[in-house]
Amino acid sequence: MHRPLFIVIEGLDGSGKSTQIDLLRDYFQSHGTACHVTAEPTDLPTGKLIRSVLRKEISVDPRTLAAMFAADRIEHLFHPEVGILAKLAAGYHVVASRYYFSSLAYQSEFVDPGFVASLNSLAKVTLPADLTIFLDLEPEVSMQRIRNRPGEDELFETLEKLQHVRESFLNAFTVYGGDENIHHINAAGEINQVAEAIQDLVNKV
Ligand code: TYD
């Protein structure tokens, strides 16, 4: 763990990404290592626009939404202050909730996967993650966790869609991530067990 690492946590809604990302940040900090936590959609203007689509305040063609996620990802990568590349250059490990595999998984329900892949080719060429961890969870469990969570339902949260998204994730890792360092962890386990499994993988990069 000498050079700054770019670590991506992927998973269905409700798979525990936020909890595990917080624990990973604590782990880095307890070892005296600087860590920047980030997420897509971002809090940048591009990400805010996406949130208003997810909240159904505005409506766009699914291809436009796919392009919006890709545009937000470009901002996320290249933003001069808060961008992933800037943070890595400043010596931080970067831990991101979601990256281009989320686009392949979610947008391919509505949009040709080849189109989604082409929109994301700049990100893949520029910065594939050093480690991508898929927090894998049965869609039924994911649905249950989402139901128990306060807040509005977003666009993707039905059981049928979650099943499709999980299959799309698995397919995207095979088709689009064959040359990358991707690991699956069963996210139904105890929080601390999952956290330790993540730490083991990070220590092997
Ligand atoms: P997120 O805030 O990670 O949701 P959650 O915390 O519920 O997991 O992401 C919001 C939604 O955006 C989520 O349903 C997945 C979707 N999404 C895409 O459809 N494509 C993408 O490229 C990304 C990054 C997210």
Side-chain angles (χ1 to χ4, degrees), residues 155-172:
L155 198 59
F156 299 103
E157 297 172 349
T158 72
L159 183 59
E160 202 183 27
K161 282 180 181 169
L162 288 171
Q163 281 163 340
H164 181 271
V165 169
R166 179 174 180 272
E167 277 159 28
S168 293
F169 261 120
L170 299 179
N171 187 51

Side-chain angles (χ1 to χ4, degrees), residues 66-119:
M68 286 165 71
F69 276 114
D72 187 43
R73 190 157 294 127
I74 291 171
E75 289 296 298
H76 196 199
L77 264 176
F78 294 103
H79 190 285
E81 285 109 43
V82 297
I84 297 167
L85 292 169
K87 292 292 180 186
L88 290 169
Y92 292 88
H93 293 309
V94 176
V95 181
S97 173
R98 304 191 180 280
Y99 197 44
Y100 46 71
F101 289 108
S102 276
S103 276
L104 286 150
Y106 287 88
Q107 273 60 63
S108 70
E109 182 176 3
F110 310 102
V111 179
D112 170 45
F115 178 62
V116 181
S118 71
L119 287 170

Side-chain angles (χ1 to χ4, degrees), residues 27-200:
Y27 175 75
F28 277 131
Q29 283 174 352
S30 71
H31 287 75
T33 320
C35 169
H36 173 72
V37 167
T38 184
E40 295 184 0
T42 67
D43 289 329
L44 297 165
T46 41
K48 288 187 176 138
L49 196 56
I50 290 171
R51 294 262 176 221
S52 50
V53 176
L54 297 179
R55 287 195 301 267
K56 300 179 187 173
E57 290 162 7
I58 52 175
S59 166
V60 297
D61 185 278
R63 289 162 293 194
T64 307
L65 182 58
M68 286 165 71
F69 276 114
D72 187 43
R73 190 157 294 127
I74 291 171
E75 289 296 298
H76 196 199
L77 264 176
F78 294 103
H79 190 285
E81 285 109 43
V82 297
I84 297 167
L85 292 169
K87 292 292 180 186
L88 290 169
Y92 292 88
H93 293 309
V94 176
V95 181
S97 173
R98 304 191 180 280
Y99 197 44
Y100 46 71
F101 289 108
S102 276
S103 276
L104 286 150
Y106 287 88
Q107 273 60 63
S108 70
E109 182 176 3
F110 310 102
V111 179
D112 170 45
F115 178 62
V116 181
S118 71
L119 287 170
N120 283 282
S121 60
L122 176 63
K124 176 151 171 106
V125 167
T126 305
L127 191 69
D130 295 296
L131 170 65
T132 297
I133 296 174
F134 181 58
L135 294 181
D136 195 10
L137 196 62
E138 290 297 316
E140 288 78 7
V141 183
S142 163
M143 194 72 220
Q144 202 55 49
R145 289 191 186 175
I146 293 164
R147 283 215 186 97
N148 292 339
R149 205 160 61 176
E152 290 175 64
D153 282 354
E154 286 186 336
L155 198 59
F156 299 103
E157 297 172 349
T158 72
L159 183 59
E160 202 183 27
K161 282 180 181 169
L162 288 171
Q163 281 163 340
H164 181 271
V165 169
R166 179 174 180 272
E167 277 159 28
S168 293
F169 261 120
L170 299 179
N171 187 51
F173 291 137
T174 309
V175 173
Y176 202 59
D179 55 346
E180 296 191 31
N181 184 25
I182 300 168
H183 293 266
H184 299 216
I185 290 179
N186 179 0
E190 289 289 317
I191 287 179
N192 286 340
Q193 283 176 351
V194 175
E196 280 170 23
I198 291 174
Q199 290 158 16
D200 285 348

